[in-house]
């Protein structure tokens, strides 16, 4: 799963492993309203564990992404808010807000808790003047990711369940 805006204009999609190995991927489904794309790849990895409850405000959160295309990056902060909606990025929103540094290239990456469980998929940076790390960053919540995947599974039977 990645952010739909990351792959919208892509002609080829590669997933790069932590070791730097490239693996091709194909788009299976896109949920534009939630900005979620589901990809297919032959890359075999241990799946990330999903957090079953909302993270607490002030709880430790780390963003994993590819800031500025420089390669794997990891930054940490706290959960600033949960269930943020009407931010204006997507038609359907349920965000985990964090102050973890997220820069361009982080979209589609993971926001994880201190135990490494997924609490969201990085989706946007809120700023009024430039696409910079302004300290207000948003990740699509796990419940919204699950809802999107379940809706797409009804159309595309080959998509596995998230839970």
């Amino acid at each position: 799963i990645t952010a739909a805006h990351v792959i919208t204009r892509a002609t080829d999609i590669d997933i790069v492993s932590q070791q730097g190995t490239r693996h091709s991927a194909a788009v299976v489904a896109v949920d534009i309203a939630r900005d979620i794309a589901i990809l297919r790849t032959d890359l075999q990895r241990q799946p990330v564990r999903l957090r079953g409850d909302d993270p607490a405000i002030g709880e430790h959160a780390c963003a994993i992404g590819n800031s500025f295309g420089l390669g794997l990056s990891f930054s940490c902060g706290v959960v600033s808010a949960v269930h943020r909606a009407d931010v204006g990025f997507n038609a359907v929103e349920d965000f985990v807000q964090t102050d973890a540094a997220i820069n361009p290239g982080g979209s589609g990456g993971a926001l994880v808790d201190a135990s490494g469980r997924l609490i969201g998929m990085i989706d946007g940076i809120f700023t009024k003047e430039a696409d910079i790390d302004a300290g207000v960053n948003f990740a699509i919540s796990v419940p919204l990711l699950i809802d999107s995947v379940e809706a797409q599974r009804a159309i595309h039977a080959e998509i596995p369940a998230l839970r």
Side-chain angles (χ1 to χ4, degrees), residues 1-7 13-16 25-31 34-41 43 47-50 64-65 105-111 118 120-123 139-153 158-163:
I1 296 176
T2 192
H5 74 266
V6 170
I7 55 90
I13 300 170
D14 286 335
I15 296 172
V16 182
V27 177
V28 175
V30 177
D31 180 345
R34 293 169 183 84
D35 194 29
I36 298 168
I38 301 171
L39 307 177
R40 178 185 313 115
T41 181
L43 180 62
V48 65
R49 292 179 303 149
L50 304 181
I64 304 168
S107 291
L111 184 67
L118 187 74
M121 181 188 68
I122 300 165
D123 195 57
I140 297 170
S141 70
V142 167
L144 193 57
L145 288 170
I146 291 170
D147 288 350
S148 178
V149 169
E150 289 303 313
Q152 292 301 321
R153 287 184 72 216
E158 72 272 20
I159 296 173
L162 283 182
R163 44 185 163 160

Side-chain angles (χ1 to χ4, degrees), residues 11-158:
T11 54
D12 292 308
I13 300 170
D14 286 335
I15 296 172
V16 182
S17 72
Q18 184 177 356
Q19 295 76 23
T21 309
R22 298 179 100 60
H23 303 270
S24 64
V27 177
V28 175
V30 177
D31 180 345
I32 293 295
R34 293 169 183 84
D35 194 29
I36 298 168
I38 301 171
L39 307 177
R40 178 185 313 115
T41 181
D42 292 332
L43 180 62
Q44 298 286 322
R45 290 284 187 249
Q46 180 75 20
V48 65
R49 292 179 303 149
L50 304 181
R51 170 87 176 247
D53 59 344
D54 290 335
I57 307 303
E59 184 176 335
H60 192 69
C62 294
I64 304 168
N66 182 16
S67 295
F68 297 106
L70 296 171
L72 184 63
S73 65
F74 191 80
S75 63
C76 297
V78 297
V79 172
S80 307
V82 294
H83 303 297
R84 282 277 194 235
D86 300 319
V87 175
F89 291 130
N90 305 327
V92 178
E93 296 177 335
D94 181 22
F95 289 124
V96 176
Q97 181 181 320
T98 182
D99 70 347
I102 298 171
N103 295 292
S107 291
L111 184 67
V112 298
D113 66 12
S115 298
R117 297 173 298 181
L118 187 74
I119 57 177
M121 181 188 68
I122 300 165
D123 195 57
I125 303 166
F126 187 78
T127 182
K128 293 200 181 262
E129 303 199 11
D131 196 13
I132 59 171
D133 176 15
V136 183
N137 305 296
F138 299 93
I140 297 170
S141 70
V142 167
L144 193 57
L145 288 170
I146 291 170
D147 288 350
S148 178
V149 169
E150 289 303 313
Q152 292 301 321
R153 287 184 72 216
I155 303 164
H156 306 279
E158 72 272 20

